[in-house]
Amino acid sequence: MPNPPVVPSSGEPPVLYDPPELTPDNWNRAGARLLAKLIGEFAYEGILRPVLDGIGVPAEPSRSLYSLYSLTVPGADTPQAGSEDPDAAHPGEGAEEGGVLRFRARRGAYGSWQVDPAGITWTPNPGPAPTSTPEPEPAPQPLTDPLAFLVRAKHALGLDGITLGHIIRELTVTLAADARLDHSALTAAQLADLGYAELEGHQTGHPWLVLNKGRLGFSATDTALWAPESRRPTRLPWIAVHTELASYRGAPGAGLEAAEALYARELNEETRELFAGTLRARGLDPASYLYLPVHPWQWDDVVLPLFAPAVAAGTIVPLPADSDLRLPQQSIRTFLNATHPERLTVKLPLSILNTLVWRGLPTERTLAAPAVTTWMHALRDADPFLRDECGVVLLGEVASVAVRHPLYDGLDEVPYQYKELLGAIWREPVSRQLAPGERARTLASLLHVDPEGSAFTAELVARSGLDPRTWLRRLFAALLPPLLRFLYRYGTVFSPHGENAIVVFDDQDVPVRLAVKDFVDDVNISAVPLPEHDAMPQEVRDVLLTERPDFLTQFIHSGLFVGVFRYLAPLYEEQLGVPEGEFWSLLRAEILHHHARFPELKDRYEMFDLLTPQIERLCLNRNRLHLDGYRDRAHRPHAAVHGTVDNPLHQL
């Protein structure tokens, strides 16, 4: 393990980290985009309620689908009804006055808002006139700073002071990460030439969550070392944990029933002997220990402080790093092997608060991951449609080591972050599953727009030689059939959001099939028993979450349609000329084609109705602002539900 930094004995001061990306241009450009996203996503979730502006300024010709909207923001002395801020009625000196926010936006499917970052303005309310002479109306001021707007709109957003303080931090850190991405951004054409792992480091994060790179717990240096946008390959240190604390599970289908089989595949003989020798030198028996990599940040901030008794007793022993370089992926806690891409990807707990949850690994779910993989693979392998026609790739979580904490894991009432502290999950890499000429890219990459305004998707369509409509049909035909088959036939859903869903392309950049990952965390099953669940192992049944049938469809609606296609549809219209209404019609046609292909499942199409007139509106940003905030809780939070939205796939 690397030693912590110290001040040189000569008394020379340490060198401060000076990030080159924090320049005015990068900051303002990233800020305008993040402000537009904040307005649009908060409006989508009903947190803000803009109205069509009455000034009547026409939209610019290039923005013909955009209308002018305004939002009246109350001042500190006139808090919005329902504000939870106890200090709202006593703002004190220097408090922000209210004003009017104006911006251009277009409305889209599911009631979404697409806000134009250019031309967002703020008009402050006129102050009290010092004389009887009327003051002129204040002039609109350009606004590109999401932090300034957040403070001005704290009452309109219904934020209490504690939540506001933490949100300012998360928003600032997210904006700094966006500036880093801008500083090293590549063109869409350059991105199209990158491999799967390298492309991950250029993605901008969750499109729906505004605070998508808050990473509470990381310092600026931690971010520079470990964030995916840093694109820094690194060697991971390992630890040995006695089997009184650590347990191993392996998937039989992968030939990893025993831990020794995993280590023989993932570590060379020299490294295995080095690990065993380290234990013997302490008088310990290697046969009584399990090996697993550990994130250096997690070791320093979590394992050493909270497992100190186990370290003192020799139950946990630090080991050297292995020789492979690994690259952090978008999930930040998952590392792909850059030295040996054919080796397994490793997922490690990282006790930072990012997006909605602490990014640990629950002990029970870590242990059950290989069993869930085995069950999912069995469903696919016994189904000719999934196996042969779809060729769907299920990136199995084939091995795991879970390390329980001697105290926390036995206490139901403690915050869940303390029951997800130490372990590892090994997952099959997508590179192993590709045919010659195929290449893989996460679904999230299709939403990327380069600094010149060119969409990554448009670049792929151009390279394919297909017309945009045909390419879009091929995308839907690659993604939808396996997801629909698992839903309708097996009452089982993935969470096919942009990071979990991977598009496999042929050598002409045409979408041909789907790969899916993250089973134990994101697979859900029907709460209504189905015959297809009878053979489910009890270990799998115990860890998979269940949902009522009418809500099970939300994982496809919110994960894929709202979470990805809600952004892809207007992008496709603007850059590839396919009207948004036609986008959703083509998607509906793919679903109906699947229904016609399997008429014997008609009752399931009614049970799991994707074409219902309305769906519940799931909200991700409301969790942080209004529901969970930054409080500890015993169980992981789930997305909030707030009202309903029209389903663009329904046809009257």
Side-chain angles (χ1 to χ4, degrees):
M1 299 294 299
N3 292 322
V6 295
V7 177
S9 58
S10 62
E12 295 178 3
V15 177
L16 296 179
Y17 173 58
D18 183 13
E21 68 272 8
L22 294 185
T23 66
D25 286 346
N26 286 343
W27 190 262
N28 292 333
R29 182 169 54 249
R33 285 199 316 272
L34 189 54
L35 175 60
K37 176 178 180 176
L38 182 153
I39 296 167
E41 296 306 328
F42 286 5
Y44 167 71
E45 296 190 14
I47 301 168
L48 295 175
R49 299 185 179 277
V51 297
L52 278 168
D53 194 75
I55 294 179
V57 177
E60 300 171 9
S62 62
R63 300 291 188 183
S64 58
L65 296 175
Y66 286 69
S67 299
L68 189 66
Y69 290 86
S70 64
L71 177 74
T72 299
V73 177
D77 57 340
T78 55
Q80 177 172 298
S83 170
E84 300 175 8
D85 189 344
D87 299 324
H90 306 283
E93 294 184 8
E96 289 288 346
E97 296 298 331
V100 177
L101 182 80
R102 288 188 174 89
F103 57 91
R104 299 184 191 279
R106 59 176 288 179
R107 304 301 306 277
Y110 296 101
S112 65
W113 295 72
Q114 183 185 2
V115 177
D116 184 358
I120 300 174
T121 64
W122 173 262
T123 304
N125 289 337
T131 67
S132 58
T133 304
E135 290 290 316
E137 286 290 322
Q141 305 164 358
L143 184 61
T144 61
D145 186 352
L147 294 163
F149 174 72
L150 180 70
V151 172
R152 291 169 179 169
K154 63 181 181 179
H155 300 296
L157 294 170
L159 297 178
D160 61 67
I162 293 173
T163 302
L164 175 64
H166 290 302
I167 286 179
I168 288 174
R169 175 174 178 166
E170 272 207 273
L171 191 63
T172 305
V173 173
T174 296
L175 185 50
D178 287 342
R180 175 187 290 271
L181 282 160
D182 276 3
H183 183 70
S184 57
L186 301 179
T187 65
Q190 291 171 315
L191 293 175
D193 292 329
L194 295 182
Y196 175 85
E198 292 75 22
L199 181 60
E200 280 279 87
H202 292 268
Q203 302 309 304
T204 57
H206 202 297
W208 185 348
L209 281 158
V210 174
L211 308 170
N212 67 7
K213 293 183 280 294
R215 300 162 184 163
L216 294 183
F218 266 10
S219 68
T221 301
D222 295 330
T223 299
L225 290 174
W226 305 113
E229 65 269 14
S230 298
R231 305 169 202 133
R232 178 180 173 269
T234 188
R235 294 168 61 195
L236 290 178
W238 288 60
I239 58 176
V241 184
H242 197 279
T243 52
E244 70 182 47
L245 288 184
S247 300
Y248 175 83
R249 296 290 188 276
L256 298 176
E257 295 94 330
E260 291 74 15
L262 172 70
Y263 302 142
R265 179 183 297 183
E266 293 296 301
L267 299 169
N268 59 39
E269 185 176 355
E270 180 183 0
T271 300
R272 299 198 303 274
E273 183 52 40
L274 176 62
F275 288 178
T278 301
L279 293 172
R280 293 190 193 101
R282 293 190 175 209
L284 304 172
D285 179 9
S288 299
Y289 285 79
L290 291 169
Y291 303 141
L292 66 155
V294 62
H295 196 293
W297 184 93
Q298 189 78 356
W299 172 262
D300 192 49
D301 275 56
V302 174
V303 180
L304 274 181
L306 298 184
F307 287 87
V311 175
T315 309
I316 296 178
V317 179
L319 300 171
D322 66 352
S323 58
D324 291 354
L325 290 174
R326 291 178 170 85
L327 196 61
Q329 303 297 281
Q330 274 296 302
S331 68
I332 205 169
R333 57 182 170 166
T334 300
F335 288 82
L336 189 144
N337 196 314
T339 304
H340 296 284
E342 74 283 359
R343 288 183 175 170
L344 299 173
T345 296
V346 64
K347 180 177 180 180
L348 304 175
L350 197 56
S351 299
I352 60 173
L353 184 64
N354 195 45
T355 58
L356 293 181
V357 298
W358 295 92
R359 292 290 159 184
L361 288 182
T363 304
E364 290 184 0
R365 287 177 169 269
T366 300
L367 281 177
V372 174
T373 286
T374 299
W375 182 67
M376 297 297 295
H377 280 185
L379 293 181
R380 178 200 58 191
D381 294 344
D383 188 318
F385 179 74
L386 289 170
R387 183 189 66 232
D388 302 328
E389 293 192 44
C390 297
V392 63
V393 176
L394 304 180
L395 297 175
E397 295 158 347
V398 293
S400 66
V401 172
V403 181
R404 66 178 184 85
H405 189 279
L407 298 179
Y408 285 132
D409 275 70
L411 300 173
D412 291 338
E413 65 270 30
V414 301
Y416 72 87
Q417 62 169 296
Y418 291 117
K419 292 177 280 188
E420 306 183 353
L421 301 175
L422 191 54
I425 293 176
W426 284 267
R427 178 191 294 138
E428 294 173 314
V430 70
S431 59
R432 277 192 194 173
Q433 309 294 329
L434 301 181
E438 287 185 334
R439 61 190 308 170
R441 303 176 177 100
T442 57
L443 184 61
S445 68
L446 299 186
L447 304 179
H448 189 83
V449 178
D450 72 15
E452 299 174 2
S454 297
F456 184 62
T457 295
E459 175 67 23
L460 298 180
V461 172
R463 291 186 177 208
S464 74
L466 299 179
D467 68 86
R469 286 173 178 80
T470 300
W471 193 93
L472 187 60
R473 289 190 187 97
R474 300 286 285 272
L475 177 67
F476 293 158
L479 299 180
L480 266 295
L483 297 175
L484 298 178
R485 182 66 170 176
F486 272 108
L487 171 65
Y488 296 138
R489 181 72 173 84
Y490 302 106
T492 301
V493 292
F494 304 94
S495 182
H497 56 67
E499 183 192 325
N500 279 355
I502 299 168
V503 185
V504 178
F505 298 82
D506 66 14
D507 58 358
Q508 299 298 313
D509 285 319
V510 176
V512 291
R513 55 196 182 118
L514 171 70
V516 185
K517 62 183 178 68
D518 220 353
F519 301 159
V520 73
D521 278 343
D522 284 336
V523 168
N524 286 250
I525 59 174
S526 171
V528 174
L530 299 176
E532 290 80 4
H533 295 168
D534 290 346
M536 185 188 306
Q538 190 61 43
E539 184 179 10
V540 175
R541 192 183 301 273
D542 288 344
V543 299
L544 291 187
L545 300 178
T546 61
E547 296 287 355
R548 65 181 195 267
D550 64 313
F551 195 80
L552 203 64
T553 58
Q554 274 284 6
F555 289 87
I556 294 179
H557 266 295
S558 294
L560 180 60
F561 301 163
V562 177
V564 179
F565 290 166
R566 177 164 63 105
Y567 307 96
L568 185 61
L571 186 66
Y572 217 84
E573 176 171 330
E574 289 186 353
Q575 302 220 4
L576 291 162
V578 177
E580 185 172 354
E582 187 175 350
F583 180 102
W584 297 107
S585 293
L586 291 172
L587 181 60
R588 174 185 166 89
E590 183 62 41
I591 295 173
L592 293 177
H593 174 73
H594 189 86
H595 290 184
R597 174 74 189 278
F598 301 101
E600 70 275 12
L601 294 177
K602 183 177 183 297
D603 62 328
R604 300 287 176 88
Y605 305 148
E606 295 171 356
M607 177 184 290
F608 306 113
D609 187 4
L610 285 169
L611 307 179
T612 183
Q614 290 188 318
I615 64 167
E616 291 180 305
R617 175 171 52 187
L618 263 63
C619 300
L620 303 183
N621 295 288
R622 275 183 174 269
N623 283 64
R624 183 69 86 240
L625 271 64
H626 294 157
L627 297 183
D628 293 294
Y630 295 83
R631 67 182 177 91
D632 277 327
R633 50 182 293 158
H635 302 285
R636 286 189 170 202
H638 298 287
V641 174
H642 183 76
T644 61
V645 292
D646 292 336
N647 181 3
L649 301 177
H650 175 71
Q651 197 171 65
L652 297 176

